[in-house]
Amino acid sequence: MNETSTSTIDAPDAAGLRERMRLSFDLDVDICVVGAGLAGLTVALEAARLGASVAVLEGRHVGWNASGHNLGTVMPGYGLPLGELIERVGFDDARELWALSRDGAEFVRANATEDLMPGIGLSEGALEVSNVEAGDELISRLQMLGEDFDTEVEGWQVERVRDAVGTNRYFHGVYYPRAFQVDGRKYVHGLAALARRAGARIFEDTPVVSIDFSGIRKRIVTPSARLRATHIVLAGNIHLGAPLRRLSDTLLPVWRYAAVTAPLGEQLAQIVKFKGSVSDADHVDHFRVVAGDRLMWASPETTWEMRPQHFAAAIQRRIRTVFPKLGRVEIAETFGGVVGQTVHGMPQIGQLRKGLWVASGFGHQGLNTSAMAGQLIARSILRGAERWRLFSPFELVWAGGLTGRAAGYVVGLWGRGSSAAAGALARYRERLRAQERVREARLAEANRQATARPLPRRPRPEDLRPAPPQADGPANQSSRGA
Ligand SMILES: Cc1cc2nc3c(=O)[nH]c(=O)nc-3n(C[C@H](O)[C@H](O)[C@H](O)COP(=O)(O)OP(=O)(O)OC[C@H]3O[C@@H](n4cnc5c(N)ncnc54)[C@H](O)[C@@H]3O)c2cc1C
């Protein structure tokens, strides 16, 4: 079985034998980007396209962590559920933020073409399924997404979901025809190739060990050379470390592992007819068919690190539970990475002080959101655009570090009131506990319903038909319904 992960084994460079270039001479540039993951490379690509001189400094190699080890599903939105986003920033700003997240997905689509990234394997459509009967919730979600947030969505009835996905574990579904998937590893290396082509210089095996960001020209120190830049973009995710440890301490590290099965033959296509990604609303299952007859499947998230291989048996069992007809599948490959989860669930995008930018905290939905961050920051630096300010309400809040991922303390780099940040942390803990309770209850209920006979009432077609708009406007309805 092959195994790749960020921590236990360095993944091979997708470019295979391409020699990595280390920074071994002093350099002066307009923009220095720390980290060659999705976020750093998108900033570099956009900034180079807009004419800036750009250097990317990467401590390991391109796509070393989560950016080179993901499932490649590109959806609109954020880790924070839409209803909570509206509660947090109000309806109008939530709409704008949502539109930005859609633009991020479209940026990926525009660059992930066979011409620009050969073999990227873009396929259309993603399905979010429910573990329990939730017809009412589904209708209000469809209304909110379709009418208020201009997102193409279809509601799928239980029968359609079960027929397409090939299991009776799930109930209703929300189908996103504009969502898509790409080969995640090829995408991050494709971004690096495009950034290089646009003129950005990428130095690997070049960790940034310290930064002096006090002057107009900032100084960046690496083990073998120094660099000066007017702007620095910190895109190091949870590994940023020494250059600004207070920043990486605002992220809760969350590990996720995934597996690809051995070829499963024709029976897979007979059982799973749906070709896009399937994920359930409780973040338990996320999978899709790859290479014609294999399943790619993600494990649930953990807050501790393990070798990806250790998750093979658990993923194997889960596949058997969801698709008993497949029998015991063989796992051919495991991989994984760590994502940075913010306390408030939204990414960290913005300017910490003049010329010092941050792009991190993308959590489990990083493809569209890191693309969006890259565009926002590059355009702000080079064109003076200010839309990144929509992220200002989301403060930097300490996530607890190793000893107490539950303890609260405020970093306050962004200068917001400490009580607001402490409140965010308290709400975060409360939400985690509530989500855990809901997830457990839903799973128990789904298991009970799946084994109970007779099967629960299936919804009538009218259950799924969107209700006519109410007189008091859809916005209020939607925020209540989420
Ligand atoms: C198993 C799995 C499946 C996923 N599936 C999906 C999916 O289907 N769809 C989706 O949207 N998202 C998915 N994600 C999430 C997504 O992959 C991440 O959100 C995204 O890759 C984060 O990108 P990043 O650039 O912020 O961080 P990273 O990928 O961590 O990149 C940061 C880089 O910075 C470098 N670095 C850090 N500090 C320094 C320093 N001091 N000096 C130099 N370099 C430094 C690191 O070496 C690293 O290479 C998944 C994640 C995992 C783990």
Side-chain angles (χ1 to χ4, degrees):
M1 188 200 308
N2 273 339
E3 179 195 46
T4 59
S5 84
T6 54
S7 46
T8 47
I9 293 179
D10 266 6
D13 194 311
L17 299 172
R18 187 179 57 74
E19 203 180 316
R20 293 184 200 154
M21 189 163 55
R22 176 178 291 149
L23 182 66
S24 54
F25 48 90
D26 289 356
L27 197 62
D28 258 44
V29 288
D30 298 330
I31 301 173
C32 169
V33 179
V34 183
L38 291 171
L41 290 169
T42 314
V43 177
L45 172 59
E46 273 295 279
R49 280 176 174 167
L50 292 174
S53 63
V54 184
V56 181
L57 305 182
E58 164 57 50
R60 309 274 187 126
H61 59 78
V62 165
W64 164 71
N65 181 29
S67 297
H69 299 89
N70 60 61
L71 265 69
T73 308
V74 188
M75 311 255 302
Y78 301 89
L80 186 68
L82 192 44
E84 288 178 39
L85 183 60
I86 298 170
E87 255 174 47
R88 191 72 206 265
V89 296
F91 183 75
D92 291 341
D93 282 0
R95 256 176 73 93
E96 277 212 54
L97 284 164
W98 185 266
L100 286 175
S101 80
R102 256 194 347 243
D103 294 349
E106 291 308 315
F107 174 92
V108 179
R109 181 187 284 280
N111 288 288
T113 62
E114 285 297 325
D115 275 353
L116 295 175
M117 299 183 184
I120 191 71
L122 190 147
S123 62
E124 303 283 350
L127 186 63
E128 190 184 280
V129 291
S130 164
N131 283 313
V132 288
E133 274 208 49
D136 292 348
E137 259 178 52
L138 181 80
I139 289 168
S140 73
R141 191 165 162 69
L142 287 175
Q143 264 186 321
M144 177 157 66
L145 286 168
E147 293 173 18
D148 305 331
F149 286 81
D150 298 329
T151 301
E152 252 183 84
V153 276
E154 283 173 21
W156 283 17
Q157 295 174 42
V158 182
E159 290 79 1
R160 186 164 178 196
V161 168
R162 291 182 174 179
D163 180 55
V165 182
T167 172
N168 65 3
R169 300 292 299 188
Y170 308 124
F171 292 80
H172 306 91
V174 178
Y175 175 59
Y176 295 80
R178 291 285 300 167
F180 57 96
Q181 35 277 316
V182 293
D183 180 324
R185 287 180 206 180
K186 288 206 170 122
Y187 181 68
V188 71
H189 289 278
L191 269 185
L194 290 181
R196 284 192 188 98
R197 218 180 294 162
R201 302 169 79 177
I202 302 173
F203 299 97
E204 296 169 283
D205 296 327
T206 303
V208 172
V209 292
S210 70
I211 298 177
D212 173 1
F213 39 76
S214 51
I216 291 184
R217 294 287 290 165
K218 297 163 194 347
R219 292 159 207 271
I220 299 104
V221 179
T222 77
S224 47
R226 282 159 196 268
L227 195 142
R228 291 193 337 152
T230 311
H231 294 272
I232 298 176
V233 182
L234 302 171
N237 195 1
I238 65 134
H239 296 105
L240 181 66
L244 196 47
R245 190 165 299 284
R246 283 185 304 162
L247 182 60
S248 28
D249 284 351
T250 61
L251 294 174
L252 182 77
V254 175
W255 281 265
R256 190 151 217 206
Y257 302 94
V260 179
T261 67
L264 301 173
E266 284 174 9
Q267 60 162 351
L268 184 61
Q270 283 156 13
I271 297 171
V272 186
K273 297 177 196 132
F274 186 70
K275 296 289 175 248
S277 300
V278 179
S279 53
D280 74 289
D282 300 309
H283 303 299
V284 178
D285 298 324
H286 181 180
F287 60 88
R288 66 186 174 103
V289 176
V290 293
D293 64 349
R294 296 171 187 254
L295 273 175
M296 184 190 268
W297 199 291
S299 74
E301 294 169 340
T302 66
T303 49
W304 62 90
E305 184 180 9
M306 282 174 76
R307 287 179 68 96
Q309 208 178 14
H310 288 143
F311 281 83
I315 292 176
Q316 206 173 33
R317 280 196 301 277
R318 185 68 193 157
I319 294 176
R320 194 167 187 172
T321 305
V322 177
F323 294 110
K325 284 191 206 148
L326 287 175
R328 190 170 184 280
V329 300
E330 197 190 315
I331 300 293
E333 185 193 348
T334 52
F335 59 89
V338 54
V339 299
Q341 185 70 50
T342 58
V343 161
H344 40 62
M346 287 293 279
Q348 299 168 329
I349 298 170
Q351 188 169 207
L352 300 175
R353 57 190 297 166
K354 197 163 170 39
L356 183 66
W357 299 81
V358 58
S360 61
F362 299 104
H364 59 254
Q365 196 165 340
L367 272 148
N368 68 318
T369 50
S370 63
M372 168 196 72
Q375 288 176 288
L376 286 175
I377 292 175
R379 287 175 192 175
S380 181
I381 293 174
L382 295 153
R383 294 263 167 87
E386 295 278 300
R387 289 187 87 197
W388 64 267
R389 289 192 187 279
L390 280 163
F391 288 87
S392 304
F394 303 101
E395 312 92 347
L396 299 177
V397 186
W398 189 56
L402 273 181
T403 44
R405 285 175 187 156
Y409 173 10
V410 177
V411 172
L413 260 177
W414 240 321
R416 299 272 307 190
S418 61
S419 59
L425 184 58
R427 285 195 298 279
Y428 169 71
R429 284 197 225 113
E430 193 179 65
R431 203 170 62 232
L432 271 191
R433 282 196 295 271
Q435 277 171 355
E436 200 48 43
R437 280 197 299 272
V438 169
R439 182 187 294 190
E440 278 169 16
R442 287 186 153 201
L443 272 180
E445 176 63 10
N447 284 331
R448 192 189 65 72
Q449 293 197 14
T451 49
R453 294 287 181 272
L455 284 171
R457 176 184 81 78
R458 299 187 168 184
R460 294 177 297 274
E462 57 269 32
D463 287 344
L464 283 171
R465 216 169 287 139
Q470 303 289 305
D472 63 350
N476 294 335
Q477 254 180 42
S478 304
S479 57
R480 280 197 302 270

